[in-house]
Amino acid sequence: MPLPTTPARRVRRLLLTALAIGSVTATAACSSGTQSGEPVVVTEIVTATAGEQQPLQDSGPAAPPEPAAPAAADPSDYAAEAGYFFSSASGKWKCGIRRADAGCHGPLPAGAPLSYGQRPTGAVVGSGAAELVKFSSPEFMLQSGRTAPVLPYGQTLTINGFSCSIDQTAGVTCRNDGTGRGFTVSDIAYDLF
């Protein structure tokens, strides 16, 4: 008694038949082509067993790589006098991290709020909230008259519980790592958080 015909068996039978016909055609073409001088045509037949799934070859564009974590700057490269001091690549910002605070001197936007009735000249964060301030002396600049080394874009200077970094678009960001409070300043915008 013959087995019942299922769709999978029909597909398999058709594939085997096609393979057999292709094999005979290829053999005939090879034997007649070599004797008559005609080119030999070889046809490749690809078969798959019923129920077998072929892997996808192209799954679309690759996902962009995750951005790298900011590189850590070596604090010893910025150590001087009573803290760790750096400059922005533009030279507009002079900043530092001291034992109890981090701050920057630079050109804040014209719309920045007054600090005790005076135009602010920088920002500072300590153990409390960050604020814009009018510095009476260059507290976050080297006292020796030298220019502090540049903190490159994409690097973070972390020391004494504070972290500072510079973004080419956003400006300088300094934060108290314990409280999460800090500031971002540039000559066109500021943010106290």
PDB file of all heavy atoms in Angstrom, residues 7-50:
ATOM      1  N   PRO A   7       2.037  17.433   1.242  1.00  0.00           N
ATOM      2  CA  PRO A   7       2.672  18.543   0.519  1.00  0.00           C
ATOM      3  C   PRO A   7       4.196  18.457   0.563  1.00  0.00           C
ATOM      4  O   PRO A   7       4.867  18.743  -0.421  1.00  0.00           O
ATOM      5  CB  PRO A   7       2.165  19.787   1.247  1.00  0.00           C
ATOM      6  CG  PRO A   7       0.856  19.374   1.864  1.00  0.00           C
ATOM      7  CD  PRO A   7       1.027  17.924   2.174  1.00  0.00           C
ATOM      8  N   ALA A   8       4.761  18.031   1.679  1.00  0.00           N
ATOM      9  CA  ALA A   8       6.215  17.934   1.775  1.00  0.00           C
ATOM     10  C   ALA A   8       6.746  16.870   0.829  1.00  0.00           C
ATOM     11  O   ALA A   8       7.783  17.045   0.194  1.00  0.00           O
ATOM     12  CB  ALA A   8       6.620  17.618   3.218  1.00  0.00           C
ATOM     13  N   ARG A   9       6.043  15.752   0.725  1.00  0.00           N
ATOM     14  CA  ARG A   9       6.471  14.682  -0.192  1.00  0.00           C
ATOM     15  C   ARG A   9       6.339  15.148  -1.634  1.00  0.00           C
ATOM     16  O   ARG A   9       7.185  14.832  -2.468  1.00  0.00           O
ATOM     17  CB  ARG A   9       5.629  13.426   0.041  1.00  0.00           C
ATOM     18  CG  ARG A   9       6.037  12.728   1.296  1.00  0.00           C
ATOM     19  CD  ARG A   9       5.733  11.243   1.204  1.00  0.00           C
ATOM     20  NE  ARG A   9       6.341  10.600   2.344  1.00  0.00           N
ATOM     21  CZ  ARG A   9       5.674   9.947   3.265  1.00  0.00           C
ATOM     22  NH1 ARG A   9       4.385   9.819   3.165  1.00  0.00           N
ATOM     23  NH2 ARG A   9       6.320   9.411   4.271  1.00  0.00           N
ATOM     24  N   ARG A  10       5.294  15.892  -1.971  1.00  0.00           N
ATOM     25  CA  ARG A  10       5.138  16.400  -3.336  1.00  0.00           C
ATOM     26  C   ARG A  10       6.288  17.334  -3.698  1.00  0.00           C
ATOM     27  O   ARG A  10       6.848  17.236  -4.780  1.00  0.00           O
ATOM     28  CB  ARG A  10       3.800  17.143  -3.462  1.00  0.00           C
ATOM     29  CG  ARG A  10       2.671  16.234  -3.756  1.00  0.00           C
ATOM     30  CD  ARG A  10       1.409  17.006  -4.114  1.00  0.00           C
ATOM     31  NE  ARG A  10       0.354  16.449  -3.276  1.00  0.00           N
ATOM     32  CZ  ARG A  10      -0.504  17.108  -2.556  1.00  0.00           C
ATOM     33  NH1 ARG A  10      -0.497  18.398  -2.557  1.00  0.00           N
ATOM     34  NH2 ARG A  10      -1.398  16.491  -1.834  1.00  0.00           N
ATOM     35  N   VAL A  11       6.639  18.214  -2.782  1.00  0.00           N
ATOM     36  CA  VAL A  11       7.739  19.149  -3.032  1.00  0.00           C
ATOM     37  C   VAL A  11       9.036  18.377  -3.218  1.00  0.00           C
ATOM     38  O   VAL A  11       9.810  18.640  -4.132  1.00  0.00           O
ATOM     39  CB  VAL A  11       7.867  20.168  -1.866  1.00  0.00           C
ATOM     40  CG1 VAL A  11       9.154  20.959  -1.956  1.00  0.00           C
ATOM     41  CG2 VAL A  11       6.675  21.099  -1.841  1.00  0.00           C
ATOM     42  N   ARG A  12       9.258  17.396  -2.377  1.00  0.00           N
ATOM     43  CA  ARG A  12      10.483  16.596  -2.472  1.00  0.00           C
ATOM     44  C   ARG A  12      10.533  15.857  -3.807  1.00  0.00           C
ATOM     45  O   ARG A  12      11.576  15.814  -4.459  1.00  0.00           O
ATOM     46  CB  ARG A  12      10.525  15.623  -1.310  1.00  0.00           C
ATOM     47  CG  ARG A  12      11.789  14.851  -1.260  1.00  0.00           C
ATOM     48  CD  ARG A  12      11.804  13.985  -0.065  1.00  0.00           C
ATOM     49  NE  ARG A  12      13.132  14.084   0.511  1.00  0.00           N
ATOM     50  CZ  ARG A  12      13.526  13.394   1.513  1.00  0.00           C
ATOM     51  NH1 ARG A  12      12.679  12.586   2.117  1.00  0.00           N
ATOM     52  NH2 ARG A  12      14.739  13.488   1.967  1.00  0.00           N
ATOM     53  N   ARG A  13       9.414  15.261  -4.229  1.00  0.00           N
ATOM     54  CA  ARG A  13       9.362  14.532  -5.488  1.00  0.00           C
ATOM     55  C   ARG A  13       9.629  15.472  -6.660  1.00  0.00           C
ATOM     56  O   ARG A  13      10.378  15.135  -7.576  1.00  0.00           O
ATOM     57  CB  ARG A  13       7.999  13.858  -5.640  1.00  0.00           C
ATOM     58  CG  ARG A  13       7.994  12.831  -6.743  1.00  0.00           C
ATOM     59  CD  ARG A  13       6.713  12.065  -6.863  1.00  0.00           C
ATOM     60  NE  ARG A  13       6.354  11.490  -5.572  1.00  0.00           N
ATOM     61  CZ  ARG A  13       5.137  11.105  -5.255  1.00  0.00           C
ATOM     62  NH1 ARG A  13       4.156  11.234  -6.111  1.00  0.00           N
ATOM     63  NH2 ARG A  13       4.864  10.592  -4.086  1.00  0.00           N
ATOM     64  N   LEU A  14       9.025  16.694  -6.622  1.00  0.00           N
ATOM     65  CA  LEU A  14       9.259  17.666  -7.691  1.00  0.00           C
ATOM     66  C   LEU A  14      10.729  18.083  -7.745  1.00  0.00           C
ATOM     67  O   LEU A  14      11.316  18.215  -8.815  1.00  0.00           O
ATOM     68  CB  LEU A  14       8.373  18.897  -7.493  1.00  0.00           C
ATOM     69  CG  LEU A  14       6.894  18.724  -7.805  1.00  0.00           C
ATOM     70  CD1 LEU A  14       6.112  19.970  -7.406  1.00  0.00           C
ATOM     71  CD2 LEU A  14       6.705  18.451  -9.280  1.00  0.00           C
ATOM     72  N   LEU A  15      11.315  18.306  -6.585  1.00  0.00           N
ATOM     73  CA  LEU A  15      12.722  18.702  -6.541  1.00  0.00           C
ATOM     74  C   LEU A  15      13.630  17.593  -7.061  1.00  0.00           C
ATOM     75  O   LEU A  15      14.582  17.846  -7.806  1.00  0.00           O
ATOM     76  CB  LEU A  15      13.132  19.098  -5.125  1.00  0.00           C
ATOM     77  CG  LEU A  15      12.561  20.421  -4.616  1.00  0.00           C
ATOM     78  CD1 LEU A  15      12.932  20.613  -3.152  1.00  0.00           C
ATOM     79  CD2 LEU A  15      13.067  21.578  -5.432  1.00  0.00           C
ATOM     80  N   LEU A  16      13.351  16.355  -6.680  1.00  0.00           N
ATOM     81  CA  LEU A  16      14.158  15.230  -7.173  1.00  0.00           C
ATOM     82  C   LEU A  16      14.000  15.066  -8.679  1.00  0.00           C
ATOM     83  O   LEU A  16      14.969  14.793  -9.390  1.00  0.00           O
ATOM     84  CB  LEU A  16      13.780  13.949  -6.433  1.00  0.00           C
ATOM     85  CG  LEU A  16      14.210  13.885  -4.965  1.00  0.00           C
ATOM     86  CD1 LEU A  16      13.646  12.626  -4.306  1.00  0.00           C
ATOM     87  CD2 LEU A  16      15.719  13.916  -4.849  1.00  0.00           C
ATOM     88  N   THR A  17      12.788  15.266  -9.177  1.00  0.00           N
ATOM     89  CA  THR A  17      12.551  15.188 -10.615  1.00  0.00           C
ATOM     90  C   THR A  17      13.308  16.286 -11.348  1.00  0.00           C
ATOM     91  O   THR A  17      13.962  16.043 -12.359  1.00  0.00           O
ATOM     92  CB  THR A  17      11.037  15.297 -10.926  1.00  0.00           C
ATOM     93  OG1 THR A  17      10.353  14.286 -10.191  1.00  0.00           O
ATOM     94  CG2 THR A  17      10.757  15.151 -12.409  1.00  0.00           C
ATOM     95  N   ALA A  18      13.251  17.500 -10.817  1.00  0.00           N
ATOM     96  CA  ALA A  18      13.965  18.614 -11.439  1.00  0.00           C
ATOM     97  C   ALA A  18      15.466  18.372 -11.405  1.00  0.00           C
ATOM     98  O   ALA A  18      16.188  18.660 -12.364  1.00  0.00           O
ATOM     99  CB  ALA A  18      13.634  19.914 -10.724  1.00  0.00           C
ATOM    100  N   LEU A  19      15.946  17.800 -10.347  1.00  0.00           N
ATOM    101  CA  LEU A  19      17.363  17.501 -10.223  1.00  0.00           C
ATOM    102  C   LEU A  19      17.775  16.453 -11.239  1.00  0.00           C
ATOM    103  O   LEU A  19      18.815  16.571 -11.885  1.00  0.00           O
ATOM    104  CB  LEU A  19      17.670  17.038  -8.795  1.00  0.00           C
ATOM    105  CG  LEU A  19      19.120  16.720  -8.482  1.00  0.00           C
ATOM    106  CD1 LEU A  19      19.986  17.959  -8.715  1.00  0.00           C
ATOM    107  CD2 LEU A  19      19.276  16.272  -7.047  1.00  0.00           C
ATOM    108  N   ALA A  20      16.963  15.456 -11.391  1.00  0.00           N
ATOM    109  CA  ALA A  20      17.263  14.392 -12.359  1.00  0.00           C
ATOM    110  C   ALA A  20      17.261  14.946 -13.776  1.00  0.00           C
ATOM    111  O   ALA A  20      18.160  14.659 -14.572  1.00  0.00           O
ATOM    112  CB  ALA A  20      16.250  13.261 -12.209  1.00  0.00           C
ATOM    113  N   ILE A  21      16.271  15.760 -14.131  1.00  0.00           N
ATOM    114  CA  ILE A  21      16.203  16.356 -15.469  1.00  0.00           C
ATOM    115  C   ILE A  21      17.392  17.262 -15.700  1.00  0.00           C
ATOM    116  O   ILE A  21      18.033  17.239 -16.744  1.00  0.00           O
ATOM    117  CB  ILE A  21      14.872  17.110 -15.666  1.00  0.00           C
ATOM    118  CG1 ILE A  21      13.709  16.122 -15.680  1.00  0.00           C
ATOM    119  CG2 ILE A  21      14.901  17.948 -16.943  1.00  0.00           C
ATOM    120  CD1 ILE A  21      12.346  16.788 -15.648  1.00  0.00           C
ATOM    121  N   GLY A  22      17.733  18.059 -14.689  1.00  0.00           N
ATOM    122  CA  GLY A  22      18.882  18.949 -14.807  1.00  0.00           C
ATOM    123  C   GLY A  22      20.170  18.174 -14.980  1.00  0.00           C
ATOM    124  O   GLY A  22      21.055  18.561 -15.738  1.00  0.00           O
ATOM    125  N   SER A  23      20.285  17.044 -14.300  1.00  0.00           N
ATOM    126  CA  SER A  23      21.484  16.228 -14.391  1.00  0.00           C
ATOM    127  C   SER A  23      21.617  15.635 -15.784  1.00  0.00           C
ATOM    128  O   SER A  23      22.697  15.630 -16.373  1.00  0.00           O
ATOM    129  CB  SER A  23      21.423  15.139 -13.323  1.00  0.00           C
ATOM    130  OG  SER A  23      22.508  14.278 -13.437  1.00  0.00           O
ATOM    131  N   VAL A  24      20.512  15.126 -16.325  1.00  0.00           N
ATOM    132  CA  VAL A  24      20.529  14.551 -17.673  1.00  0.00           C
ATOM    133  C   VAL A  24      20.839  15.636 -18.689  1.00  0.00           C
ATOM    134  O   VAL A  24      21.661  15.449 -19.594  1.00  0.00           O
ATOM    135  CB  VAL A  24      19.176  13.869 -17.979  1.00  0.00           C
ATOM    136  CG1 VAL A  24      19.063  13.472 -19.439  1.00  0.00           C
ATOM    137  CG2 VAL A  24      18.990  12.658 -17.089  1.00  0.00           C
ATOM    138  N   THR A  25      20.240  16.812 -18.549  1.00  0.00           N
ATOM    139  CA  THR A  25      20.470  17.914 -19.489  1.00  0.00           C
ATOM    140  C   THR A  25      21.923  18.367 -19.432  1.00  0.00           C
ATOM    141  O   THR A  25      22.552  18.590 -20.459  1.00  0.00           O
ATOM    142  CB  THR A  25      19.549  19.102 -19.151  1.00  0.00           C
ATOM    143  OG1 THR A  25      18.200  18.637 -19.131  1.00  0.00           O
ATOM    144  CG2 THR A  25      19.703  20.222 -20.155  1.00  0.00           C
ATOM    145  N   ALA A  26      22.466  18.472 -18.234  1.00  0.00           N
ATOM    146  CA  ALA A  26      23.852  18.902 -18.095  1.00  0.00           C
ATOM    147  C   ALA A  26      24.796  17.870 -18.687  1.00  0.00           C
ATOM    148  O   ALA A  26      25.770  18.211 -19.361  1.00  0.00           O
ATOM    149  CB  ALA A  26      24.187  19.139 -16.627  1.00  0.00           C
ATOM    150  N   THR A  27      24.493  16.553 -18.496  1.00  0.00           N
ATOM    151  CA  THR A  27      25.343  15.500 -19.037  1.00  0.00           C
ATOM    152  C   THR A  27      25.278  15.531 -20.555  1.00  0.00           C
ATOM    153  O   THR A  27      26.295  15.448 -21.237  1.00  0.00           O
ATOM    154  CB  THR A  27      24.895  14.122 -18.504  1.00  0.00           C
ATOM    155  OG1 THR A  27      24.905  14.157 -17.089  1.00  0.00           O
ATOM    156  CG2 THR A  27      25.785  13.017 -19.015  1.00  0.00           C
ATOM    157  N   ALA A  28      24.101  15.700 -21.099  1.00  0.00           N
ATOM    158  CA  ALA A  28      23.941  15.742 -22.554  1.00  0.00           C
ATOM    159  C   ALA A  28      24.654  16.947 -23.127  1.00  0.00           C
ATOM    160  O   ALA A  28      25.327  16.873 -24.149  1.00  0.00           O
ATOM    161  CB  ALA A  28      22.459  15.764 -22.915  1.00  0.00           C
ATOM    162  N   ALA A  29      24.542  18.078 -22.457  1.00  0.00           N
ATOM    163  CA  ALA A  29      25.190  19.288 -22.950  1.00  0.00           C
ATOM    164  C   ALA A  29      26.700  19.141 -22.897  1.00  0.00           C
ATOM    165  O   ALA A  29      27.416  19.578 -23.785  1.00  0.00           O
ATOM    166  CB  ALA A  29      24.750  20.486 -22.122  1.00  0.00           C
ATOM    167  N   CYS A  30      27.188  18.470 -21.866  1.00  0.00           N
ATOM    168  CA  CYS A  30      28.632  18.298 -21.726  1.00  0.00           C
ATOM    169  C   CYS A  30      29.154  17.369 -22.807  1.00  0.00           C
ATOM    170  O   CYS A  30      30.170  17.651 -23.440  1.00  0.00           O
ATOM    171  CB  CYS A  30      28.984  17.705 -20.361  1.00  0.00           C
ATOM    172  SG  CYS A  30      28.805  18.904 -19.017  1.00  0.00           S
ATOM    173  N   SER A  31      28.445  16.242 -23.042  1.00  0.00           N
ATOM    174  CA  SER A  31      28.959  15.286 -24.028  1.00  0.00           C
ATOM    175  C   SER A  31      28.813  15.820 -25.437  1.00  0.00           C
ATOM    176  O   SER A  31      29.712  15.696 -26.244  1.00  0.00           O
ATOM    177  CB  SER A  31      28.262  13.943 -23.874  1.00  0.00           C
ATOM    178  OG  SER A  31      26.877  14.093 -24.124  1.00  0.00           O
ATOM    179  N   SER A  32      27.713  16.482 -25.774  1.00  0.00           N
ATOM    180  CA  SER A  32      27.563  17.005 -27.134  1.00  0.00           C
ATOM    181  C   SER A  32      28.398  18.245 -27.337  1.00  0.00           C
ATOM    182  O   SER A  32      28.903  18.489 -28.419  1.00  0.00           O
ATOM    183  CB  SER A  32      26.094  17.295 -27.436  1.00  0.00           C
ATOM    184  OG  SER A  32      25.652  18.355 -26.616  1.00  0.00           O
ATOM    185  N   GLY A  33      28.584  19.058 -26.266  1.00  0.00           N
ATOM    186  CA  GLY A  33      29.360  20.281 -26.392  1.00  0.00           C
ATOM    187  C   GLY A  33      30.826  19.997 -26.632  1.00  0.00           C
ATOM    188  O   GLY A  33      31.494  20.695 -27.370  1.00  0.00           O
ATOM    189  N   THR A  34      31.342  18.911 -26.050  1.00  0.00           N
ATOM    190  CA  THR A  34      32.758  18.638 -26.211  1.00  0.00           C
ATOM    191  C   THR A  34      33.048  18.059 -27.579  1.00  0.00           C
ATOM    192  O   THR A  34      34.111  18.264 -28.120  1.00  0.00           O
ATOM    193  CB  THR A  34      33.245  17.652 -25.130  1.00  0.00           C
ATOM    194  OG1 THR A  34      32.409  16.520 -25.117  1.00  0.00           O
ATOM    195  CG2 THR A  34      33.265  18.313 -23.770  1.00  0.00           C
ATOM    196  N   GLN A  35      32.058  17.358 -28.183  1.00  0.00           N
ATOM    197  CA  GLN A  35      32.299  16.773 -29.491  1.00  0.00           C
ATOM    198  C   GLN A  35      32.047  17.767 -30.605  1.00  0.00           C
ATOM    199  O   GLN A  35      32.712  17.749 -31.614  1.00  0.00           O
ATOM    200  CB  GLN A  35      31.408  15.545 -29.696  1.00  0.00           C
ATOM    201  CG  GLN A  35      31.811  14.423 -28.766  1.00  0.00           C
ATOM    202  CD  GLN A  35      30.883  13.234 -28.886  1.00  0.00           C
ATOM    203  OE1 GLN A  35      29.955  13.218 -29.677  1.00  0.00           O
ATOM    204  NE2 GLN A  35      31.151  12.224 -28.084  1.00  0.00           N
ATOM    205  N   SER A  36      31.050  18.659 -30.472  1.00  0.00           N
ATOM    206  CA  SER A  36      30.710  19.568 -31.559  1.00  0.00           C
ATOM    207  C   SER A  36      31.450  20.888 -31.459  1.00  0.00           C
ATOM    208  O   SER A  36      31.338  21.712 -32.351  1.00  0.00           O
ATOM    209  CB  SER A  36      29.199  19.820 -31.570  1.00  0.00           C
ATOM    210  OG  SER A  36      28.845  20.531 -30.391  1.00  0.00           O
ATOM    211  N   GLY A  37      32.176  21.151 -30.366  1.00  0.00           N
ATOM    212  CA  GLY A  37      32.910  22.397 -30.218  1.00  0.00           C
ATOM    213  C   GLY A  37      32.063  23.533 -29.681  1.00  0.00           C
ATOM    214  O   GLY A  37      32.527  24.659 -29.566  1.00  0.00           O
ATOM    215  N   GLU A  38      30.793  23.259 -29.363  1.00  0.00           N
ATOM    216  CA  GLU A  38      29.941  24.303 -28.790  1.00  0.00           C
ATOM    217  C   GLU A  38      30.303  24.515 -27.328  1.00  0.00           C
ATOM    218  O   GLU A  38      30.769  23.594 -26.663  1.00  0.00           O
ATOM    219  CB  GLU A  38      28.471  23.890 -28.906  1.00  0.00           C
ATOM    220  CG  GLU A  38      27.973  23.794 -30.314  1.00  0.00           C
ATOM    221  CD  GLU A  38      26.545  23.302 -30.372  1.00  0.00           C
ATOM    222  OE1 GLU A  38      25.865  23.256 -29.324  1.00  0.00           O
ATOM    223  OE2 GLU A  38      26.115  22.956 -31.460  1.00  0.00           O
ATOM    224  N   PRO A  39      30.065  25.727 -26.801  1.00  0.00           N
ATOM    225  CA  PRO A  39      30.368  25.947 -25.396  1.00  0.00           C
ATOM    226  C   PRO A  39      29.489  25.096 -24.504  1.00  0.00           C
ATOM    227  O   PRO A  39      28.355  24.792 -24.838  1.00  0.00           O
ATOM    228  CB  PRO A  39      30.071  27.433 -25.191  1.00  0.00           C
ATOM    229  CG  PRO A  39      29.282  27.869 -26.366  1.00  0.00           C
ATOM    230  CD  PRO A  39      29.527  26.882 -27.468  1.00  0.00           C
ATOM    231  N   VAL A  40      30.035  24.717 -23.389  1.00  0.00           N
ATOM    232  CA  VAL A  40      29.312  23.912 -22.414  1.00  0.00           C
ATOM    233  C   VAL A  40      28.610  24.852 -21.447  1.00  0.00           C
ATOM    234  O   VAL A  40      29.208  25.765 -20.903  1.00  0.00           O
ATOM    235  CB  VAL A  40      30.287  23.001 -21.640  1.00  0.00           C
ATOM    236  CG1 VAL A  40      29.545  22.236 -20.549  1.00  0.00           C
ATOM    237  CG2 VAL A  40      30.981  22.055 -22.583  1.00  0.00           C
ATOM    238  N   VAL A  41      27.322  24.648 -21.232  1.00  0.00           N
ATOM    239  CA  VAL A  41      26.541  25.446 -20.310  1.00  0.00           C
ATOM    240  C   VAL A  41      26.257  24.592 -19.077  1.00  0.00           C
ATOM    241  O   VAL A  41      25.717  23.511 -19.195  1.00  0.00           O
ATOM    242  CB  VAL A  41      25.210  25.919 -20.947  1.00  0.00           C
ATOM    243  CG1 VAL A  41      24.382  26.684 -19.930  1.00  0.00           C
ATOM    244  CG2 VAL A  41      25.483  26.720 -22.181  1.00  0.00           C
ATOM    245  N   VAL A  42      26.653  25.080 -17.926  1.00  0.00           N
ATOM    246  CA  VAL A  42      26.407  24.355 -16.688  1.00  0.00           C
ATOM    247  C   VAL A  42      25.394  25.142 -15.881  1.00  0.00           C
ATOM    248  O   VAL A  42      25.576  26.331 -15.637  1.00  0.00           O
ATOM    249  CB  VAL A  42      27.710  24.185 -15.882  1.00  0.00           C
ATOM    250  CG1 VAL A  42      27.423  23.449 -14.581  1.00  0.00           C
ATOM    251  CG2 VAL A  42      28.737  23.434 -16.709  1.00  0.00           C
ATOM    252  N   THR A  43      24.346  24.513 -15.489  1.00  0.00           N
ATOM    253  CA  THR A  43      23.308  25.146 -14.697  1.00  0.00           C
ATOM    254  C   THR A  43      23.360  24.565 -13.291  1.00  0.00           C
ATOM    255  O   THR A  43      23.411  23.357 -13.127  1.00  0.00           O
ATOM    256  CB  THR A  43      21.916  24.879 -15.308  1.00  0.00           C
ATOM    257  OG1 THR A  43      21.940  25.291 -16.661  1.00  0.00           O
ATOM    258  CG2 THR A  43      20.841  25.615 -14.543  1.00  0.00           C
ATOM    259  N   GLU A  44      23.363  25.445 -12.290  1.00  0.00           N
ATOM    260  CA  GLU A  44      23.403  25.001 -10.904  1.00  0.00           C
ATOM    261  C   GLU A  44      21.984  24.971 -10.370  1.00  0.00           C
ATOM    262  O   GLU A  44      21.244  25.938 -10.488  1.00  0.00           O
ATOM    263  CB  GLU A  44      24.241  25.968 -10.062  1.00  0.00           C
ATOM    264  CG  GLU A  44      24.360  25.525  -8.630  1.00  0.00           C
ATOM    265  CD  GLU A  44      25.201  26.488  -7.815  1.00  0.00           C
ATOM    266  OE1 GLU A  44      25.909  27.323  -8.395  1.00  0.00           O
ATOM    267  OE2 GLU A  44      25.124  26.408  -6.596  1.00  0.00           O
ATOM    268  N   ILE A  45      21.612  23.842  -9.818  1.00  0.00           N
ATOM    269  CA  ILE A  45      20.286  23.700  -9.231  1.00  0.00           C
ATOM    270  C   ILE A  45      20.448  23.686  -7.719  1.00  0.00           C
ATOM    271  O   ILE A  45      21.220  22.905  -7.181  1.00  0.00           O
ATOM    272  CB  ILE A  45      19.596  22.413  -9.710  1.00  0.00           C
ATOM    273  CG1 ILE A  45      19.407  22.446 -11.225  1.00  0.00           C
ATOM    274  CG2 ILE A  45      18.277  22.222  -8.973  1.00  0.00           C
ATOM    275  CD1 ILE A  45      18.828  21.184 -11.793  1.00  0.00           C
ATOM    276  N   VAL A  46      19.749  24.572  -7.074  1.00  0.00           N
ATOM    277  CA  VAL A  46      19.806  24.658  -5.620  1.00  0.00           C
ATOM    278  C   VAL A  46      18.501  24.115  -5.079  1.00  0.00           C
ATOM    279  O   VAL A  46      17.438  24.547  -5.489  1.00  0.00           O
ATOM    280  CB  VAL A  46      20.004  26.121  -5.156  1.00  0.00           C
ATOM    281  CG1 VAL A  46      20.040  26.197  -3.639  1.00  0.00           C
ATOM    282  CG2 VAL A  46      21.266  26.687  -5.764  1.00  0.00           C
ATOM    283  N   THR A  47      18.617  23.151  -4.167  1.00  0.00           N
ATOM    284  CA  THR A  47      17.408  22.570  -3.595  1.00  0.00           C
ATOM    285  C   THR A  47      17.450  22.711  -2.089  1.00  0.00           C
ATOM    286  O   THR A  47      18.508  22.849  -1.488  1.00  0.00           O
ATOM    287  CB  THR A  47      17.296  21.075  -3.951  1.00  0.00           C
ATOM    288  OG1 THR A  47      18.427  20.401  -3.410  1.00  0.00           O
ATOM    289  CG2 THR A  47      17.233  20.871  -5.444  1.00  0.00           C
ATOM    290  N   ALA A  48      16.296  22.663  -1.518  1.00  0.00           N
ATOM    291  CA  ALA A  48      16.190  22.683  -0.070  1.00  0.00           C
ATOM    292  C   ALA A  48      15.195  21.623   0.331  1.00  0.00           C
ATOM    293  O   ALA A  48      14.200  21.406  -0.344  1.00  0.00           O
ATOM    294  CB  ALA A  48      15.721  24.041   0.414  1.00  0.00           C
ATOM    295  N   THR A  49      15.455  20.951   1.397  1.00  0.00           N
ATOM    296  CA  THR A  49      14.541  19.949   1.907  1.00  0.00           C
ATOM    297  C   THR A  49      13.325  20.666   2.480  1.00  0.00           C
ATOM    298  O   THR A  49      13.457  21.726   3.078  1.00  0.00           O
ATOM    299  CB  THR A  49      15.224  19.134   3.018  1.00  0.00           C
ATOM    300  OG1 THR A  49      16.449  18.614   2.498  1.00  0.00           O
ATOM    301  CG2 THR A  49      14.347  18.007   3.493  1.00  0.00           C
ATOM    302  N   ALA A  50      12.163  20.089   2.289  1.00  0.00           N
ATOM    303  CA  ALA A  50      10.947  20.706   2.798  1.00  0.00           C
ATOM    304  C   ALA A  50      11.075  20.947   4.293  1.00  0.00           C
ATOM    305  O   ALA A  50      11.557  20.098   5.024  1.00  0.00           O
ATOM    306  CB  ALA A  50       9.746  19.806   2.509  1.00  0.00           C
TER     307      ALA A  50
END
